Amino acid sequence: MDSSGIRDALTEKGLRVTPQRIAIYEAILKLNNHPTADDIAAHIKLDHPNIATGTVYKVLESLVENGLIKKVKTEKDVMRYDAILENHNHLYCAESDRIADYYNEEINNLLTDYFRQHEIPDFKIADIKLQIIGKFLNETE
Amino acid sequence: MDSSGIRDALTEKGLRVTPQRIAIYEAILKLNNHPTADDIAAHIKLDHPNIATGTVYKVLESLVENGLIKKVKTEKDVMRYDAILENHNHLYCAESDRIADYYNEEINNLLTDYFRQHEIPDFKIADIKLQIIGKFLNETE
DNA sequence: TTTTTATATGAGAATAATTCTCTTTAAAGA
DNA sequence: TCTTTAAAGAGAATTATTCTCATATAAAAA
């Protein structure tokens, strides 16, 4: 997504288009290992030296609320952010704290079908997340 | 598990048996909605008024490290703890912040088999967690 | 274009969970 | 019982995040 796509996305959600919002959204798209708020702040401070930390958090919150990005949680107590909205799961390595996206429609369908056929009593499923924890081999990053 | 079972479990892991560790372990077993460190501290402060918060965290950490309990992460930024080691998944309701255990061997086997047959390149799976997010109906708690 | 107004930002204090440091205590083995 | 060493207590420190409020600015209205 380019800068004008970002503007459009913000406008469409009824959010004011501000340089900070554009910069933060761009940063999430660019920084690909599911950045933390801090990663994002550090990255955009090059172009926006005066951006306040609180602004970063507030913008992230409103982007999440408006479904433009997602929050990703790890074992650590820091939230991370993901601009990919397409249904996908995560591979997570606790050792390196690296998160990789894992696309596999088959497993999504398998789970969706399974729970369509086996409803859970007194519980309405909104989302199913599969977190695959392990270790990356042949680290190339 | 009773008090002597806890003593045995600690000894078996090479951990010293202290009143604080017993109290904390007992608290996790007793408080069943996946308590936070704070829940646990509040609960045991009745019997152990002088327990330090840091001790609670340190004990929880060593219990987790020794595989006696597990850490559970929710959407919120507080860690919660679970004394159930048996392979199970969690039902989580963001609205009420309630976590319920979900036992279903079938789904565990389904996932295990699936990933045995479909290995992920360059990634060694250690654990697969399924987090089922939604809403509890007929709240009875 | 200028004015208006509601919303967003900046700055920094406040909060909350967790960790750390250092001294004292006590569990477990000799 | 004595000794050793891990564990606990106290409270400061750290870290991520939220909050407050004055100022700035995007977008709508004139």
Side-chain angles (χ1 to χ4, degrees):
Chain A
M1 195 184 319
D2 62 350
S3 173
S4 93
I6 292 176
R7 303 180 91 90
D8 293 350
L10 291 170
T11 305
E12 199 181 309
K13 298 292 181 181
L15 295 171
R16 283 193 184 168
V17 178
T18 66
Q20 292 85 347
R21 284 181 174 161
I22 294 172
I24 290 168
Y25 202 156
E26 275 177 342
I28 302 169
L29 291 168
K30 186 169 180 194
L31 299 167
N32 42 13
N33 188 26
H34 306 80
T36 63
D38 202 54
D39 294 335
I40 295 162
H43 183 261
I44 64 180
K45 260 170 188 159
L46 301 168
D47 285 333
H48 298 259
N50 294 327
I51 196 157
T53 313
T55 300
V56 175
Y57 281 98
K58 269 181 288 186
V59 168
L60 288 170
E61 193 190 325
S62 73
L63 295 179
V64 170
E65 274 174 6
N66 287 279
L68 295 173
I69 62 170
K70 284 191 193 171
K71 249 183 177 175
V72 182
K73 63 189 164 91
T74 69
E75 304 303 296
K76 301 269 175 70
D77 60 354
V78 213
M79 287 299 174
R80 292 170 68 166
Y81 297 87
D82 190 350
I84 297 168
L85 299 172
E86 195 184 336
N87 194 355
H88 68 286
N89 295 297
H90 289 128
L91 304 179
Y92 177 66
C93 171
E95 204 179 287
S96 64
D97 204 39
R98 179 174 158 201
I99 300 174
D101 294 306
Y102 176 66
Y103 297 95
N104 181 333
E105 215 173 317
E106 199 184 359
I107 190 78
N108 288 335
N109 293 337
L110 202 81
L111 288 169
T112 308
D113 287 351
Y114 182 88
F115 284 105
R116 193 173 289 140
Q117 284 161 40
H118 303 78
E119 287 193 8
I120 302 169
D122 294 332
F123 193 80
K124 186 165 164 292
I125 299 177
D127 194 16
I128 298 173
K129 281 185 196 159
L130 189 64
Q131 199 171 21
I132 305 167
I133 297 150
K135 194 167 162 7
F136 291 97
L137 311 171
N138 315 318
E139 285 290 344
T140 49
E141 259 190 28
Chain B
M1 195 183 319
D2 63 350
S3 173
S4 93
I6 293 174
R7 303 181 90 89
D8 292 350
L10 292 171
T11 304
E12 198 181 309
K13 298 291 179 180
L15 295 172
R16 283 191 185 170
V17 177
T18 67
Q20 293 85 346
R21 284 182 173 161
I22 293 171
I24 290 169
Y25 202 157
E26 274 177 342
I28 303 170
L29 291 168
K30 188 170 179 194
L31 299 168
N32 41 13
N33 187 29
H34 305 81
T36 62
D38 200 56
D39 294 336
I40 294 161
H43 183 261
I44 64 180
K45 260 170 188 159
L46 301 168
D47 286 335
H48 298 258
N50 293 327
I51 196 159
T53 314
T55 300
V56 175
Y57 282 97
K58 269 181 289 186
V59 169
L60 289 170
E61 193 190 323
S62 75
L63 295 180
V64 170
E65 273 174 7
N66 288 281
L68 295 172
I69 62 171
K70 284 191 191 174
K71 249 185 178 174
V72 182
K73 173 119 203 235
T74 70
E75 304 302 299
K76 299 267 175 73
D77 60 354
V78 213
M79 287 297 175
R80 293 169 68 166
Y81 296 87
D82 190 351
I84 297 168
L85 298 173
E86 195 183 336
N87 194 356
H88 68 288
N89 294 298
H90 288 129
L91 304 179
Y92 177 65
C93 173
E95 207 177 285
S96 64
D97 205 39
R98 181 175 157 201
I99 301 174
D101 293 306
Y102 175 68
Y103 298 95
N104 181 332
E105 217 174 315
E106 200 184 357
I107 191 77
N108 288 337
N109 294 336
L110 202 80
L111 288 170
T112 309
D113 287 351
Y114 182 89
F115 285 104
R116 193 172 292 141
Q117 284 160 38
H118 304 78
E119 287 193 9
I120 302 171
D122 294 332
F123 192 81
K124 185 164 166 288
I125 298 177
D127 194 15
I128 297 173
K129 280 186 196 157
L130 191 62
Q131 199 172 21
I132 304 168
I133 297 151
K135 194 169 164 1
F136 290 98
L137 311 170
N138 316 316
E139 285 289 344
T140 50
E141 256 188 27

PDB file of all heavy atoms in Angstrom, chain A residues 16-17 54 57-58 77-79, chain D residues 16-20 25-27:
ATOM      1  N   ARG A  16      -9.102  11.233  10.586  1.00  0.00           N
ATOM      2  CA  ARG A  16      -8.400  12.337   9.964  1.00  0.00           C
ATOM      3  C   ARG A  16      -7.045  11.878   9.460  1.00  0.00           C
ATOM      4  O   ARG A  16      -6.373  11.085  10.106  1.00  0.00           O
ATOM      5  CB  ARG A  16      -8.173  13.454  10.974  1.00  0.00           C
ATOM      6  CG  ARG A  16      -9.398  14.247  11.228  1.00  0.00           C
ATOM      7  CD  ARG A  16      -9.029  15.505  11.971  1.00  0.00           C
ATOM      8  NE  ARG A  16     -10.224  16.231  12.305  1.00  0.00           N
ATOM      9  CZ  ARG A  16     -10.264  17.242  13.145  1.00  0.00           C
ATOM     10  NH1 ARG A  16      -9.160  17.626  13.756  1.00  0.00           N
ATOM     11  NH2 ARG A  16     -11.385  17.871  13.385  1.00  0.00           N
ATOM     12  N   VAL A  17      -6.673  12.406   8.326  1.00  0.00           N
ATOM     13  CA  VAL A  17      -5.380  12.053   7.743  1.00  0.00           C
ATOM     14  C   VAL A  17      -4.329  12.998   8.306  1.00  0.00           C
ATOM     15  O   VAL A  17      -4.337  14.188   8.002  1.00  0.00           O
ATOM     16  CB  VAL A  17      -5.445  12.173   6.204  1.00  0.00           C
ATOM     17  CG1 VAL A  17      -4.086  11.862   5.608  1.00  0.00           C
ATOM     18  CG2 VAL A  17      -6.507  11.236   5.647  1.00  0.00           C
ATOM     19  N   GLY A  54       3.090   8.887  23.337  1.00  0.00           N
ATOM     20  CA  GLY A  54       1.646   8.733  23.520  1.00  0.00           C
ATOM     21  C   GLY A  54       0.900   8.750  22.207  1.00  0.00           C
ATOM     22  O   GLY A  54      -0.077   8.019  22.030  1.00  0.00           O
ATOM     23  N   TYR A  57       1.108   5.341  20.543  1.00  0.00           N
ATOM     24  CA  TYR A  57       0.168   4.397  21.140  1.00  0.00           C
ATOM     25  C   TYR A  57      -1.271   4.700  20.738  1.00  0.00           C
ATOM     26  O   TYR A  57      -2.049   3.804  20.431  1.00  0.00           O
ATOM     27  CB  TYR A  57       0.300   4.396  22.667  1.00  0.00           C
ATOM     28  CG  TYR A  57       1.476   3.583  23.142  1.00  0.00           C
ATOM     29  CD1 TYR A  57       2.680   4.177  23.467  1.00  0.00           C
ATOM     30  CD2 TYR A  57       1.374   2.192  23.242  1.00  0.00           C
ATOM     31  CE1 TYR A  57       3.761   3.425  23.898  1.00  0.00           C
ATOM     32  CE2 TYR A  57       2.453   1.437  23.675  1.00  0.00           C
ATOM     33  CZ  TYR A  57       3.648   2.057  24.001  1.00  0.00           C
ATOM     34  OH  TYR A  57       4.708   1.303  24.420  1.00  0.00           O
ATOM     35  N   LYS A  58      -1.602   5.986  20.743  1.00  0.00           N
ATOM     36  CA  LYS A  58      -2.978   6.345  20.397  1.00  0.00           C
ATOM     37  C   LYS A  58      -3.297   6.023  18.952  1.00  0.00           C
ATOM     38  O   LYS A  58      -4.372   5.512  18.646  1.00  0.00           O
ATOM     39  CB  LYS A  58      -3.232   7.829  20.691  1.00  0.00           C
ATOM     40  CG  LYS A  58      -3.774   8.040  22.093  1.00  0.00           C
ATOM     41  CD  LYS A  58      -4.063   9.499  22.384  1.00  0.00           C
ATOM     42  CE  LYS A  58      -2.762  10.259  22.542  1.00  0.00           C
ATOM     43  NZ  LYS A  58      -2.909  11.657  22.957  1.00  0.00           N
ATOM     44  N   ASP A  77       5.796  -9.540  27.400  1.00  0.00           N
ATOM     45  CA  ASP A  77       4.683  -8.653  27.737  1.00  0.00           C
ATOM     46  C   ASP A  77       4.658  -7.372  26.906  1.00  0.00           C
ATOM     47  O   ASP A  77       4.193  -6.340  27.358  1.00  0.00           O
ATOM     48  CB  ASP A  77       4.693  -8.318  29.236  1.00  0.00           C
ATOM     49  CG  ASP A  77       5.968  -7.621  29.628  1.00  0.00           C
ATOM     50  OD1 ASP A  77       6.863  -7.514  28.771  1.00  0.00           O
ATOM     51  OD2 ASP A  77       6.069  -7.178  30.780  1.00  0.00           O
ATOM     52  N   VAL A  78       5.132  -7.462  25.709  1.00  0.00           N
ATOM     53  CA  VAL A  78       5.075  -6.301  24.807  1.00  0.00           C
ATOM     54  C   VAL A  78       4.119  -6.633  23.678  1.00  0.00           C
ATOM     55  O   VAL A  78       4.149  -7.739  23.145  1.00  0.00           O
ATOM     56  CB  VAL A  78       6.440  -6.010  24.146  1.00  0.00           C
ATOM     57  CG1 VAL A  78       6.612  -4.537  23.928  1.00  0.00           C
ATOM     58  CG2 VAL A  78       7.558  -6.604  24.925  1.00  0.00           C
ATOM     59  N   MET A  79       3.303  -5.693  23.324  1.00  0.00           N
ATOM     60  CA  MET A  79       2.400  -5.900  22.206  1.00  0.00           C
ATOM     61  C   MET A  79       3.133  -5.623  20.906  1.00  0.00           C
ATOM     62  O   MET A  79       3.997  -4.750  20.846  1.00  0.00           O
ATOM     63  CB  MET A  79       1.209  -4.949  22.309  1.00  0.00           C
ATOM     64  CG  MET A  79       0.245  -5.347  23.384  1.00  0.00           C
ATOM     65  SD  MET A  79      -0.444  -6.998  23.050  1.00  0.00           S
ATOM     66  CE  MET A  79      -1.376  -7.233  24.571  1.00  0.00           C
TER      67      MET A  79
ATOM     68  P    DA D  16       9.977  -1.650  27.221  1.00  0.00           P
ATOM     69  OP1  DA D  16      10.466  -2.685  26.308  1.00  0.00           O
ATOM     70  OP2  DA D  16      10.410  -0.244  27.066  1.00  0.00           O
ATOM     71  O5'  DA D  16       8.393  -1.668  27.187  1.00  0.00           O
ATOM     72  C5'  DA D  16       7.720  -2.879  27.514  1.00  0.00           C
ATOM     73  C4'  DA D  16       6.285  -2.550  27.774  1.00  0.00           C
ATOM     74  O4'  DA D  16       6.192  -1.675  28.905  1.00  0.00           O
ATOM     75  C3'  DA D  16       5.586  -1.823  26.617  1.00  0.00           C
ATOM     76  O3'  DA D  16       4.380  -2.523  26.342  1.00  0.00           O
ATOM     77  C2'  DA D  16       5.348  -0.409  27.134  1.00  0.00           C
ATOM     78  C1'  DA D  16       5.305  -0.608  28.640  1.00  0.00           C
ATOM     79  N9   DA D  16       5.778   0.540  29.420  1.00  0.00           N
ATOM     80  C8   DA D  16       6.914   1.267  29.223  1.00  0.00           C
ATOM     81  N7   DA D  16       7.088   2.240  30.095  1.00  0.00           N
ATOM     82  C5   DA D  16       5.988   2.137  30.927  1.00  0.00           C
ATOM     83  C6   DA D  16       5.561   2.873  32.050  1.00  0.00           C
ATOM     84  N6   DA D  16       6.249   3.909  32.544  1.00  0.00           N
ATOM     85  N1   DA D  16       4.418   2.503  32.648  1.00  0.00           N
ATOM     86  C2   DA D  16       3.742   1.462  32.159  1.00  0.00           C
ATOM     87  N3   DA D  16       4.031   0.688  31.113  1.00  0.00           N
ATOM     88  C4   DA D  16       5.178   1.088  30.530  1.00  0.00           C
ATOM     89  P    DT D  17       3.430  -1.978  25.179  1.00  0.00           P
ATOM     90  OP1  DT D  17       2.587  -3.118  24.774  1.00  0.00           O
ATOM     91  OP2  DT D  17       4.200  -1.203  24.186  1.00  0.00           O
ATOM     92  O5'  DT D  17       2.493  -0.973  25.999  1.00  0.00           O
ATOM     93  C5'  DT D  17       1.791  -1.476  27.127  1.00  0.00           C
ATOM     94  C4'  DT D  17       1.067  -0.336  27.805  1.00  0.00           C
ATOM     95  O4'  DT D  17       2.004   0.568  28.407  1.00  0.00           O
ATOM     96  C3'  DT D  17       0.203   0.516  26.875  1.00  0.00           C
ATOM     97  O3'  DT D  17      -1.154   0.315  27.272  1.00  0.00           O
ATOM     98  C2'  DT D  17       0.703   1.939  27.087  1.00  0.00           C
ATOM     99  C1'  DT D  17       1.410   1.837  28.433  1.00  0.00           C
ATOM    100  N1   DT D  17       2.486   2.822  28.677  1.00  0.00           N
ATOM    101  C2   DT D  17       2.353   3.654  29.775  1.00  0.00           C
ATOM    102  O2   DT D  17       1.414   3.606  30.545  1.00  0.00           O
ATOM    103  N3   DT D  17       3.388   4.551  29.943  1.00  0.00           N
ATOM    104  C4   DT D  17       4.505   4.697  29.142  1.00  0.00           C
ATOM    105  O4   DT D  17       5.360   5.535  29.400  1.00  0.00           O
ATOM    106  C5   DT D  17       4.579   3.785  27.998  1.00  0.00           C
ATOM    107  C7   DT D  17       5.745   3.855  27.070  1.00  0.00           C
ATOM    108  C6   DT D  17       3.579   2.908  27.837  1.00  0.00           C
ATOM    109  P    DT D  18      -2.320   1.111  26.572  1.00  0.00           P
ATOM    110  OP1  DT D  18      -3.468   0.198  26.576  1.00  0.00           O
ATOM    111  OP2  DT D  18      -1.847   1.746  25.331  1.00  0.00           O
ATOM    112  O5'  DT D  18      -2.600   2.273  27.644  1.00  0.00           O
ATOM    113  C5'  DT D  18      -2.813   1.912  28.988  1.00  0.00           C
ATOM    114  C4'  DT D  18      -3.067   3.171  29.795  1.00  0.00           C
ATOM    115  O4'  DT D  18      -1.855   3.949  29.898  1.00  0.00           O
ATOM    116  C3'  DT D  18      -4.121   4.104  29.197  1.00  0.00           C
ATOM    117  O3'  DT D  18      -4.967   4.464  30.281  1.00  0.00           O
ATOM    118  C2'  DT D  18      -3.310   5.277  28.659  1.00  0.00           C
ATOM    119  C1'  DT D  18      -2.144   5.306  29.629  1.00  0.00           C
ATOM    120  N1   DT D  18      -0.872   5.887  29.142  1.00  0.00           N
ATOM    121  C2   DT D  18      -0.250   6.839  29.924  1.00  0.00           C
ATOM    122  O2   DT D  18      -0.712   7.238  30.973  1.00  0.00           O
ATOM    123  N3   DT D  18       0.944   7.298  29.428  1.00  0.00           N
ATOM    124  C4   DT D  18       1.563   6.907  28.259  1.00  0.00           C
ATOM    125  O4   DT D  18       2.642   7.388  27.939  1.00  0.00           O
ATOM    126  C5   DT D  18       0.855   5.911  27.485  1.00  0.00           C
ATOM    127  C7   DT D  18       1.437   5.431  26.207  1.00  0.00           C
ATOM    128  C6   DT D  18      -0.316   5.454  27.955  1.00  0.00           C
ATOM    129  P    DC D  19      -6.290   5.305  30.054  1.00  0.00           P
ATOM    130  OP1  DC D  19      -7.351   4.677  30.854  1.00  0.00           O
ATOM    131  OP2  DC D  19      -6.476   5.532  28.602  1.00  0.00           O
ATOM    132  O5'  DC D  19      -5.907   6.702  30.733  1.00  0.00           O
ATOM    133  C5'  DC D  19      -5.174   6.707  31.952  1.00  0.00           C
ATOM    134  C4'  DC D  19      -4.802   8.143  32.311  1.00  0.00           C
ATOM    135  O4'  DC D  19      -3.559   8.484  31.674  1.00  0.00           O
ATOM    136  C3'  DC D  19      -5.823   9.180  31.850  1.00  0.00           C
ATOM    137  O3'  DC D  19      -6.106  10.036  32.947  1.00  0.00           O
ATOM    138  C2'  DC D  19      -5.134   9.910  30.709  1.00  0.00           C
ATOM    139  C1'  DC D  19      -3.660   9.740  31.048  1.00  0.00           C
ATOM    140  N1   DC D  19      -2.745   9.698  29.883  1.00  0.00           N
ATOM    141  C2   DC D  19      -1.587  10.491  29.911  1.00  0.00           C
ATOM    142  O2   DC D  19      -1.383  11.217  30.881  1.00  0.00           O
ATOM    143  N3   DC D  19      -0.726  10.416  28.870  1.00  0.00           N
ATOM    144  C4   DC D  19      -0.977   9.605  27.833  1.00  0.00           C
ATOM    145  N4   DC D  19      -0.089   9.571  26.848  1.00  0.00           N
ATOM    146  C5   DC D  19      -2.154   8.804  27.788  1.00  0.00           C
ATOM    147  C6   DC D  19      -3.002   8.868  28.818  1.00  0.00           C
ATOM    148  P    DT D  20      -7.328  11.098  32.831  1.00  0.00           P
ATOM    149  OP1  DT D  20      -8.108  10.933  34.064  1.00  0.00           O
ATOM    150  OP2  DT D  20      -7.988  10.998  31.508  1.00  0.00           O
ATOM    151  O5'  DT D  20      -6.577  12.492  32.881  1.00  0.00           O
ATOM    152  C5'  DT D  20      -5.342  12.606  33.594  1.00  0.00           C
ATOM    153  C4'  DT D  20      -4.805  14.014  33.395  1.00  0.00           C
ATOM    154  O4'  DT D  20      -3.766  13.985  32.378  1.00  0.00           O
ATOM    155  C3'  DT D  20      -5.844  15.024  32.914  1.00  0.00           C
ATOM    156  O3'  DT D  20      -5.571  16.272  33.527  1.00  0.00           O
ATOM    157  C2'  DT D  20      -5.621  15.062  31.419  1.00  0.00           C
ATOM    158  C1'  DT D  20      -4.107  14.874  31.334  1.00  0.00           C
ATOM    159  N1   DT D  20      -3.606  14.274  30.078  1.00  0.00           N
ATOM    160  C2   DT D  20      -2.374  14.684  29.607  1.00  0.00           C
ATOM    161  O2   DT D  20      -1.694  15.520  30.169  1.00  0.00           O
ATOM    162  N3   DT D  20      -1.967  14.076  28.456  1.00  0.00           N
ATOM    163  C4   DT D  20      -2.658  13.122  27.738  1.00  0.00           C
ATOM    164  O4   DT D  20      -2.173  12.645  26.716  1.00  0.00           O
ATOM    165  C5   DT D  20      -3.945  12.739  28.279  1.00  0.00           C
ATOM    166  C7   DT D  20      -4.769  11.718  27.561  1.00  0.00           C
ATOM    167  C6   DT D  20      -4.346  13.323  29.412  1.00  0.00           C
ATOM    168  P    DT D  25       0.636  22.841  13.719  1.00  0.00           P
ATOM    169  OP1  DT D  25       1.955  22.267  13.385  1.00  0.00           O
ATOM    170  OP2  DT D  25       0.332  24.266  13.512  1.00  0.00           O
ATOM    171  O5'  DT D  25      -0.478  21.985  12.968  1.00  0.00           O
ATOM    172  C5'  DT D  25      -0.843  20.690  13.445  1.00  0.00           C
ATOM    173  C4'  DT D  25      -2.161  20.292  12.802  1.00  0.00           C
ATOM    174  O4'  DT D  25      -3.272  20.658  13.652  1.00  0.00           O
ATOM    175  C3'  DT D  25      -2.440  20.943  11.466  1.00  0.00           C
ATOM    176  O3'  DT D  25      -3.182  20.051  10.688  1.00  0.00           O
ATOM    177  C2'  DT D  25      -3.344  22.097  11.844  1.00  0.00           C
ATOM    178  C1'  DT D  25      -4.203  21.363  12.868  1.00  0.00           C
ATOM    179  N1   DT D  25      -5.022  22.191  13.779  1.00  0.00           N
ATOM    180  C2   DT D  25      -6.199  21.656  14.244  1.00  0.00           C
ATOM    181  O2   DT D  25      -6.598  20.549  13.958  1.00  0.00           O
ATOM    182  N3   DT D  25      -6.917  22.485  15.077  1.00  0.00           N
ATOM    183  C4   DT D  25      -6.570  23.756  15.470  1.00  0.00           C
ATOM    184  O4   DT D  25      -7.296  24.396  16.225  1.00  0.00           O
ATOM    185  C5   DT D  25      -5.322  24.258  14.946  1.00  0.00           C
ATOM    186  C7   DT D  25      -4.857  25.626  15.311  1.00  0.00           C
ATOM    187  C6   DT D  25      -4.625  23.476  14.122  1.00  0.00           C
ATOM    188  P    DA D  26      -2.653  19.535   9.279  1.00  0.00           P
ATOM    189  OP1  DA D  26      -1.418  18.758   9.461  1.00  0.00           O
ATOM    190  OP2  DA D  26      -2.696  20.697   8.369  1.00  0.00           O
ATOM    191  O5'  DA D  26      -3.822  18.521   8.865  1.00  0.00           O
ATOM    192  C5'  DA D  26      -4.130  17.428   9.715  1.00  0.00           C
ATOM    193  C4'  DA D  26      -5.614  17.096   9.607  1.00  0.00           C
ATOM    194  O4'  DA D  26      -6.384  18.051  10.384  1.00  0.00           O
ATOM    195  C3'  DA D  26      -6.176  17.135   8.197  1.00  0.00           C
ATOM    196  O3'  DA D  26      -7.065  16.041   8.068  1.00  0.00           O
ATOM    197  C2'  DA D  26      -6.899  18.488   8.117  1.00  0.00           C
ATOM    198  C1'  DA D  26      -7.321  18.730   9.560  1.00  0.00           C
ATOM    199  N9   DA D  26      -7.281  20.128  10.010  1.00  0.00           N
ATOM    200  C8   DA D  26      -6.332  21.065   9.715  1.00  0.00           C
ATOM    201  N7   DA D  26      -6.533  22.224  10.302  1.00  0.00           N
ATOM    202  C5   DA D  26      -7.688  22.034  11.037  1.00  0.00           C
ATOM    203  C6   DA D  26      -8.427  22.884  11.881  1.00  0.00           C
ATOM    204  N6   DA D  26      -8.080  24.144  12.139  1.00  0.00           N
ATOM    205  N1   DA D  26      -9.535  22.387  12.457  1.00  0.00           N
ATOM    206  C2   DA D  26      -9.872  21.116  12.210  1.00  0.00           C
ATOM    207  N3   DA D  26      -9.258  20.214  11.441  1.00  0.00           N
ATOM    208  C4   DA D  26      -8.167  20.740  10.873  1.00  0.00           C
ATOM    209  P    DA D  27      -7.801  15.766   6.703  1.00  0.00           P
ATOM    210  OP1  DA D  27      -7.998  14.304   6.681  1.00  0.00           O
ATOM    211  OP2  DA D  27      -7.096  16.452   5.604  1.00  0.00           O
ATOM    212  O5'  DA D  27      -9.221  16.454   6.917  1.00  0.00           O
ATOM    213  C5'  DA D  27     -10.058  15.979   7.967  1.00  0.00           C
ATOM    214  C4'  DA D  27     -11.317  16.804   8.012  1.00  0.00           C
ATOM    215  O4'  DA D  27     -11.022  18.146   8.478  1.00  0.00           O
ATOM    216  C3'  DA D  27     -12.017  16.976   6.668  1.00  0.00           C
ATOM    217  O3'  DA D  27     -13.400  16.879   6.925  1.00  0.00           O
ATOM    218  C2'  DA D  27     -11.636  18.395   6.240  1.00  0.00           C
ATOM    219  C1'  DA D  27     -11.608  19.085   7.597  1.00  0.00           C
ATOM    220  N9   DA D  27     -10.792  20.292   7.697  1.00  0.00           N
ATOM    221  C8   DA D  27      -9.622  20.588   7.042  1.00  0.00           C
ATOM    222  N7   DA D  27      -9.112  21.757   7.372  1.00  0.00           N
ATOM    223  C5   DA D  27     -10.010  22.263   8.303  1.00  0.00           C
ATOM    224  C6   DA D  27     -10.048  23.471   9.026  1.00  0.00           C
ATOM    225  N6   DA D  27      -9.113  24.423   8.923  1.00  0.00           N
ATOM    226  N1   DA D  27     -11.090  23.654   9.869  1.00  0.00           N
ATOM    227  C2   DA D  27     -12.021  22.700   9.972  1.00  0.00           C
ATOM    228  N3   DA D  27     -12.104  21.519   9.344  1.00  0.00           N
ATOM    229  C4   DA D  27     -11.054  21.366   8.516  1.00  0.00           C
TER     230       DA D  27
END
